[in-house]
């Protein structure tokens, strides 16, 4: 009896201790600074009033209607700007629209120029009167003395405008003008349904869809409610203004809702969104916004962010590291947004509507996403998802299977079911193969494998938006020959980088084939994975593009980007053999490999591991190492394979400290591109000291160890276990692992199998200022399987 009592007391104390820890756990929201890097960000980047992977992503725009020539680099909000032109609801890859703006004084229906040449309805603001938190945004519009606040549910945007006393107050619904990456407006409509409800849509033709899926287009629908009946409603479009009109159509369509306001009068608006119909926008509104106040929505949004960000809880004394960490995690969870409705309806190609399967409660079993290309995301996003957010990974896989069922091919990037290829290649097969190896298999596996195999090996009638239009050459020759101009069945201007990418993805598909017992397919695919060897030049020991006759191209400059290599050069891409690091090391020679790579990082450090302080997305494409772009993100981890893991510890820590910043300009390098959370997610994984060069494509995936930044990290694993990573003697100088143990047993390798890690437990690493060259050096991670 006494023994049982002791057990009960012990259990109670354990629960109490655990509860006490939870009580002491501080809010992590204060460490998210969504302004970091906004001087050169992407259209999705600064959208504080949103949920993780939400459809409603509300944010202020400083230059939203300007769009851009390239169709992808629209910022929307640049912290260097001093005026706001509106608050936009949709922020996705190739998608943007539906802008609202409160104002007063003389009527203006154009947003006006950023430079002040045309005095439109935009307003100046001061950053000191601005709050941007996960799930909430607030700003004072100086020209009108109006306070604007934003928050959101998954499908509904919430606005709260606090007006001063003014007989000419209004809210402008600017619907028919381009926003961000949206491209030209094809059609638009907005109308008041009754005194307080409105609905509408805008249809756009983004540049990347125009190029890759020319018959496609994007339509954004909304159904909303204002808390106060306007005293008058007027409309406008490109043809002019109608003072007493409750509807507008065509390009430039919009409404202005007029009010007489007293001091501190508040008008709230709720706006249901959808990509399928105004009816479904209303259903989304009804499901998520009925009876919900602005304050309730804000509290709920921030609870969601607290829960999701808190799944990885870091502890340490350096506040800047926490800011970098949680801002990176915020971006990693923000990119790639839900495109399906609460009922499971979702947009398909050509304006048709698909239906996701429902569970016993009538809810969709998974979500359908809009998504930029997954180029390089196996070195950041998918590793993050697999660690603590496997449902996100499952949604991503199911999204692309839905696209495959409807289109017959995987898309590279997807905007409302339309192909919007980001880079003209395609890693969806690799991503799904890795998911299968990770145990994420809640989908039609036979269909998935059929699609993965087709993505690697087939080319007849391939859709340009599916990428890999040179697959025929890769299959027939083993490499892609260099050819100027567009990628087609004869070759590619990016021939060498494509050969490397296709070799890697063939390896991933081979592992899935092996797991499924498809021996012939495995043999075929694993042979393809060695295509990189055909373009490795043993004389200069670099990847060197080849002509169709098998000769290496002439006038070869290893610093030159864009000739044989996409967004990079030969120095950068030579290390792009993640499926077989040991093979690459053998070709170069271990000593030369280590010396070359170490010297590359020494040189790269002088320019901040990227393009220096040049503010341009491609600032570092001519350098020897460029952390600001995807092709290099695995390189600092390769020392684990070459017998010098302490150099991985050294350089990954240096990149975290120096490439990443906490300023609005120096956030992710200076001129770099945060591709829907990829650079932020790389920081998260490296700060944890966990990474896989192969992106979990091995038959039995591994995890490599680096140099954790924090004294203690608690991770709620996707396996529903808990992992604690504790470091001793950790500091800015003490970046090297001296010894390690996992669950009380010595850990002498710089890697372990991922399935062991996912069982949870405690990892302890003792850190020091000098390398322990014996630790982790004897047994490198498995290479080719």
């Amino acid at each position: 009896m006494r023994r049982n009592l002791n057990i009960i007391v012990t259990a109670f104390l354990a629960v109490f201790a655990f509860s006490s820890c939870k009580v002491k756990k501080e809010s992590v929201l204060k460490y998210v600074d969504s302004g970091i890097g906004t001087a050169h960000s992407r259209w999705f980047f600064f959208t504080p009033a949103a949920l993780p992977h939400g459809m409603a992503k509300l944010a202020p725009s400083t230059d939203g209607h300007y769009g851009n020539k390239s169709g992808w680099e629209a910022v929307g909000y640049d912290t260097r700007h001093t005026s706001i032109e509106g608050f936009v609801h949709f922020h996705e890859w190739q998608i943007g629209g539906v802008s609202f703006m409160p104002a007063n004084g003389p009527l203006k229906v154009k947003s006006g120029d950023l430079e002040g040449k045309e005095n439109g309805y935009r307003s100046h603001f001061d950053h000191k009167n601005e709050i941007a938190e996960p799930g909430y945004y607030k700003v004072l519009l100086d020209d009108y003395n109006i306070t604007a606040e934003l928050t959101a549910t998954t499908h509904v945007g919430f606005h709260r405008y606090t007006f001063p006393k003014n007989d000419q107050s209004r809210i402008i619904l600017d619907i028919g003008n381009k926003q961000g990456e949206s491209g030209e407006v094809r059609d638009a409509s907005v109308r008041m349904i009754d005194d307080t409800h409105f609905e509408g849509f805008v249809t756009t033709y983004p540049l990347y869809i125009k190029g890759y899926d020319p018959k496609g287009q994007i339509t954004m629908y909304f159904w909303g409610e204002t808390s106060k009946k306007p005293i008058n409603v007027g409309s406008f479009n490109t043809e002019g203004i109608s003072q007493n009109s409750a509807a507008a159509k065509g390009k430039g369509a919009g409404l202005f809702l007029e009010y007489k306001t007293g001091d501190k009068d508040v008008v709230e608006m709720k706006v249901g969104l959808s990509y399928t119909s105004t009816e479904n926008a209303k259903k989304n509104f009804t499901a998520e916004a009925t009876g919900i106040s602005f304050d309730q929505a804000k509290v709920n949004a921030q609870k969601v962010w607290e829960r999701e960000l808190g799944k990885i809880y870091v502890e340490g004394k350096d506040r800047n590291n926490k800011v970098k960490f949680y801002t990176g995690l915020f971006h990693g969870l923000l990119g790639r947004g839900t495109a399906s409705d609460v009922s499971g309806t979702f947009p398909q190609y050509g304006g048709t509507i698909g239906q996701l399967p429902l569970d016993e409660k009538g809810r969709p079993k998974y979500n359908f996403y809009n998504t930029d290309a997954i180029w390089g995301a196996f070195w950041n996003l998918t590793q993050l998802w697999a660690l603590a957010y496997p449902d996100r990974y499952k949604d991503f896989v199911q999204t692309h299977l839905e696209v495959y069922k409807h289109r017959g091919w995987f898309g590279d990037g997807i905007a409302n079911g339309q192909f919007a290829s980001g880079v003209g290649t395609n890693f969806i097969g690799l991503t799904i193969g890795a998911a299968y190896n990770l145990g994420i298999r809640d989908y039609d596996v036979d269909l998935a494998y059929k699609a993965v195999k087709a993505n690697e090996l087939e080319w007849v009638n391939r859709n340009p938006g599916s990428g890999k239009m040179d697959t025929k050459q890769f299959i027939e020759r083993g490499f892609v020959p260099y050819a100027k101009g567009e990628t087609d069945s004869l070759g590619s201007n990016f021939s060498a980088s494509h050969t490397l990418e296709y070799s890697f993805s063939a390896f991933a598909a081979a592992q899935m084939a092996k797991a499924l017992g498809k021996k012939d397919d495995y043999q075929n695919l694993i042979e393809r994975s060695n295509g990189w060897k055909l373009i490795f030049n043993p004389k200069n020991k670099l990847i060197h593009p080849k002509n169709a006759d098998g000769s290496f191209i002439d006038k070869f400059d290893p610093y030159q980007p864009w000739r044989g290599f996409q967004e990079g050069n030969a120095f950068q891409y030579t290390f792009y053999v993640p499926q077989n690091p040991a093979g690459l090391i053998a070709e170069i020679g271990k000593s030369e490999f280590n010396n070359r790579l170490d010297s590359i990082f020494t040189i790269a450090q002088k320019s901040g591991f990227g393009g220096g302080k040049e503010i341009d997305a491609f600032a570092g494409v001519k350098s020897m190492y460029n952390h600001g772009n995807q092709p290099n993100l695995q390189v600092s981890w390769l020392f684990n394979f070459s017998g010098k893991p302490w150099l991985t510890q050294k350089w990954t820590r240096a990149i975290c400290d120096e490439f990443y910043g906490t300023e609005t300009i120096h956030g992710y390098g200076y001129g770099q591109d945060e591709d829907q959370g990829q650079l932020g997610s790389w920081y998260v994984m490296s700060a944890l000291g966990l990474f896989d060069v192969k992106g979990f494509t091995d038959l039995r995936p591994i995890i490599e160890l680096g140099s954790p930044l924090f004294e203690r990290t608690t991770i709620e694993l996707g396996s529903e276990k808990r992992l604690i990573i504790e470091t001793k003697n950790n500091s800015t100088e003490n970046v090297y692992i001296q010894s390690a143990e996992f669950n009380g047993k010595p850990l002498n390798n710089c890697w372990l199998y991922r399935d062991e890690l996912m069982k949870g437990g405690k990892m302890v690493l003792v850190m020091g200022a000098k390398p322990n060259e014996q630790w982790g050096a004897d047994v490198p991670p498995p290479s080719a399987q």
Side-chain angles (χ1 to χ4, degrees):
M1 178 69 182
R2 184 174 181 80
R3 179 175 176 272
N4 290 340
L5 179 62
N6 287 339
I7 291 172
I8 293 170
V9 171
T10 301
F12 172 79
L13 290 175
V15 170
F16 178 78
F18 180 72
S19 300
S20 298
C21 289
K22 291 187 73 174
V23 169
K24 293 179 181 178
K25 188 175 177 180
E26 67 174 344
S27 171
V28 300
L29 299 188
K30 65 183 178 182
Y31 295 117
V32 175
D33 183 349
S34 53
I36 288 175
T38 49
H40 49 82
S41 60
R42 290 278 287 276
W43 177 238
F44 92 100
F45 191 90
F46 187 87
T47 52
L51 292 188
H53 291 220
M55 177 185 293
K57 290 181 177 175
L58 276 65
S61 273
T62 62
D63 62 356
H65 84 276
Y66 280 62
N68 55 79
K69 294 179 180 179
S70 299
W72 61 269
E73 81 278 22
V75 172
Y77 177 94
D78 187 328
T79 192
R80 295 170 297 178
H81 297 163
T82 58
S83 64
I84 288 172
E85 66 176 37
F87 302 100
V88 180
H89 294 72
F90 289 97
H91 288 81
E92 295 294 351
W93 169 240
Q94 297 294 288
I95 299 173
V98 185
S99 178
F100 289 6
M101 183 66 173
N104 53 37
L107 176 65
K108 301 170 186 175
V109 296
K110 293 184 178 180
S111 59
D113 291 336
L114 182 64
E115 298 81 8
K117 294 177 183 177
E118 180 187 325
N119 185 18
Y121 60 67
R122 69 167 59 239
S123 171
H124 292 88
F125 75 107
D126 191 318
H127 290 292
K128 71 180 182 182
N129 296 321
E130 182 182 44
I131 297 172
E133 301 171 344
Y136 176 67
Y137 178 80
K138 180 180 181 180
V139 70
L140 175 65
L141 301 173
D142 290 341
D143 292 357
Y144 305 122
N145 195 28
I146 296 172
T147 297
E149 298 172 271
L150 310 172
T151 190
T153 62
T154 299
H155 298 89
V156 181
F158 288 70
H159 305 246
R160 181 162 63 190
Y161 302 132
T162 303
F163 289 86
K165 178 177 174 56
N166 196 301
D167 290 345
Q168 291 181 298
S169 294
R170 70 184 62 83
I171 299 173
I172 300 162
L173 314 186
D174 193 342
I175 309 304
N177 291 299
K178 69 179 181 180
Q179 291 288 332
E181 298 176 5
S182 69
E184 68 170 284
V185 171
R186 286 287 187 86
D187 195 10
S189 175
V190 57
R191 71 182 185 96
M192 296 298 297
I193 304 167
D194 55 35
D195 288 343
T196 56
H197 294 91
F198 52 88
E199 67 178 13
F201 70 87
V202 56
T203 300
T204 66
Y205 194 36
L207 187 62
Y208 272 52
I209 289 176
K210 186 176 182 180
Y212 289 105
D213 228 354
K215 294 183 180 179
Q217 56 187 14
I218 298 293
T219 302
M220 296 156 271
Y221 300 92
F222 59 95
W223 191 95
E225 175 183 82
T226 177
S227 63
K228 185 176 292 187
K229 175 185 174 182
I231 60 173
N232 184 60
V233 177
S235 68
F236 58 92
N237 59 22
T238 55
E239 296 179 0
I241 299 173
S242 297
Q243 287 289 347
N244 296 288
S245 171
K249 293 183 178 181
K251 293 184 178 183
L255 297 181
F256 49 94
L257 283 54
E258 297 184 309
Y259 297 92
K260 287 185 178 181
T261 56
D263 190 37
K264 307 293 186 188
D265 272 2
V266 172
V267 179
E268 295 189 7
M269 305 187 89
K270 305 177 188 178
V271 188
L273 307 176
S274 175
Y275 292 113
T276 57
S277 69
T278 51
E279 180 182 357
N280 284 327
K282 182 180 180 180
K283 289 180 180 178
N284 292 338
F285 177 102
T286 301
E288 296 180 1
T290 301
I292 303 296
S293 69
F294 182 96
D295 286 330
Q296 289 171 322
K298 175 192 171 185
V299 168
N300 290 338
Q302 298 205 302
K303 280 183 179 178
V304 171
W305 276 112
E306 194 75 66
R307 182 188 71 224
E308 295 300 291
L309 293 170
K311 286 181 178 178
I312 308 178
Y313 185 70
V314 300
E315 299 174 67
K317 298 175 183 177
D318 192 318
R319 189 179 192 282
N320 279 352
N321 284 345
K322 290 182 180 179
V323 170
K324 293 179 189 179
F325 185 89
Y326 283 112
T327 303
L329 184 54
F330 172 72
H331 286 140
L333 297 178
L334 192 63
R336 289 156 170 84
T338 298
S340 48
D341 300 313
V342 293
S343 62
T345 48
F346 68 95
Q348 293 185 136
Y349 175 70
T352 59
I353 299 174
Q355 175 63 55
L356 302 177
L358 306 177
D359 63 18
E360 63 278 0
K361 294 183 179 180
R363 298 175 300 197
K365 291 184 177 180
Y366 47 86
N367 298 302
F368 183 89
Y369 287 161
N370 281 317
T371 169
D372 193 356
I374 204 76
W375 199 56
F378 31 79
W379 292 323
N380 36 67
L381 274 175
T382 62
Q383 296 196 34
L384 173 63
W385 294 345
L387 183 71
Y389 308 94
D391 285 347
R392 306 294 181 189
Y393 205 154
K394 181 186 76 172
D395 285 352
F396 185 86
V397 171
Q398 292 281 23
T399 291
H400 287 279
L401 292 180
E402 291 288 351
V403 171
Y404 177 79
K405 284 187 285 187
H406 189 64
R407 304 296 303 272
W409 295 98
F410 284 142
D412 179 28
I414 296 296
N416 282 15
Q418 331 297 308
F419 287 164
S421 181
V423 287
T425 182
N426 193 313
F427 279 108
I428 302 303
L430 180 149
T431 307
I432 293 177
Y436 185 84
N437 296 338
L438 292 165
I440 299 172
R441 301 176 181 179
D442 187 14
Y443 46 84
D444 185 335
V445 172
D446 290 338
L447 177 72
Y449 179 71
K450 179 183 177 183
V452 168
K453 180 180 175 181
N455 198 47
E456 301 307 318
L457 301 177
E458 297 180 13
W459 63 82
V460 177
N461 296 324
R462 192 171 187 121
N463 187 297
S466 185
K468 301 181 72 164
M469 297 303 290
D470 46 2
T471 301
K472 181 177 186 291
Q473 291 291 326
F474 180 71
I475 298 303
E476 292 182 350
R477 298 176 185 271
F479 72 95
V480 177
Y482 176 73
K484 292 182 180 180
E486 296 293 325
T487 299
D488 58 25
S489 61
L490 298 178
S492 175
N493 184 52
F494 306 133
S495 59
S497 57
H498 282 188
T499 299
L500 297 171
E501 292 169 352
Y502 302 171
S503 298
F504 182 25
S505 57
F507 173 86
Q511 305 311 307
M512 188 177 186
K514 189 173 187 178
L516 294 171
K518 300 181 183 296
K519 296 180 180 179
D520 291 343
D521 285 353
Y522 169 78
Q523 199 59 46
N524 182 17
L525 288 160
I526 205 67
E527 289 175 7
R528 308 289 174 200
S529 75
N530 290 314
W532 66 273
K533 294 182 178 180
L534 299 177
I535 59 170
F536 182 86
N537 189 334
K539 292 183 178 180
N540 57 29
K541 296 187 177 181
L542 292 168
I543 293 296
H544 191 149
K546 276 186 174 181
N547 297 305
D549 63 5
S551 63
F552 289 112
I553 65 170
D554 61 3
K555 299 179 182 178
F556 175 64
D557 176 0
Y559 285 96
Q560 183 181 5
W562 309 110
R563 185 173 182 243
F565 303 95
Q566 183 155 14
E567 301 184 22
N569 59 32
F571 277 127
Q572 296 171 13
Y573 268 102
T574 290
F575 298 101
Y576 199 119
V577 189
Q579 73 275 19
N580 190 1
L584 178 64
I585 293 165
E587 291 287 347
I588 296 176
K590 182 181 285 189
S591 179
E592 183 175 344
F593 179 92
N594 283 321
N595 290 336
R596 183 199 294 183
L597 193 54
D598 190 35
S599 65
I600 283 174
F601 280 111
T602 300
I603 294 168
Q605 189 173 29
K606 296 176 182 178
S607 58
F609 298 103
K613 295 186 177 182
E614 181 185 354
I615 300 178
D616 184 274
F618 297 127
V621 294
K622 295 180 181 180
S623 60
M624 298 179 79
Y625 175 82
N626 179 25
H627 193 79
N629 215 337
Q630 285 80 353
N632 269 188
L633 296 183
Q634 89 290 6
V635 175
S636 56
W637 290 86
L638 289 174
F639 293 108
N640 281 340
F641 291 85
S642 61
K644 293 194 174 184
W646 62 91
L647 290 178
T648 280
Q649 296 155 34
K650 171 184 177 179
W651 291 119
T652 56
R653 178 73 78 97
I655 292 168
C656 285
D657 289 345
E658 298 170 37
F659 175 84
Y660 293 86
T662 56
E663 302 85 33
T664 55
I665 295 178
H666 176 203
Y668 298 89
Y670 280 86
Q672 313 307 329
D673 179 6
E674 166 57 330
D675 270 342
Q676 290 193 282
Q678 289 203 45
L679 292 178
S681 296
W682 189 96
Y683 182 93
V684 169
M685 296 306 299
S686 292
L688 297 175
L690 304 174
F691 194 83
D692 180 28
V693 163
K694 297 187 182 186
F696 301 142
T697 56
D698 275 330
L699 190 63
R700 188 184 181 191
I702 65 168
I703 281 282
E704 299 150 50
L705 303 180
S707 179
L709 265 69
F710 299 101
E711 295 168 12
R712 182 183 174 92
T713 301
T714 304
I715 306 171
E716 303 297 332
L717 298 169
S719 58
E720 299 183 355
K721 304 290 185 179
R722 176 177 292 179
L723 174 67
I724 295 173
I725 302 173
E726 187 177 286
T727 61
K728 296 182 177 180
N729 305 322
N730 203 347
S731 69
T732 304
E733 296 78 21
N734 293 352
V735 304
Y736 299 103
I737 297 174
Q738 306 299 300
S739 63
E741 64 177 41
F742 185 44
N743 289 333
K745 296 180 180 180
L747 183 59
N748 296 318
N749 293 337
C750 62
W751 63 278
L752 69 161
Y753 285 108
R754 184 183 176 278
D755 53 16
E756 295 175 350
L757 185 86
M758 295 302 284
K759 293 176 183 177
K762 187 175 184 179
M763 182 181 293
V764 180
L765 300 98
V766 178
M767 311 300 289
K770 295 182 179 180
N772 177 358
E773 296 186 6
Q774 280 69 52
W775 184 86
D778 291 340
V779 181
S783 197
Q785 287 191 14

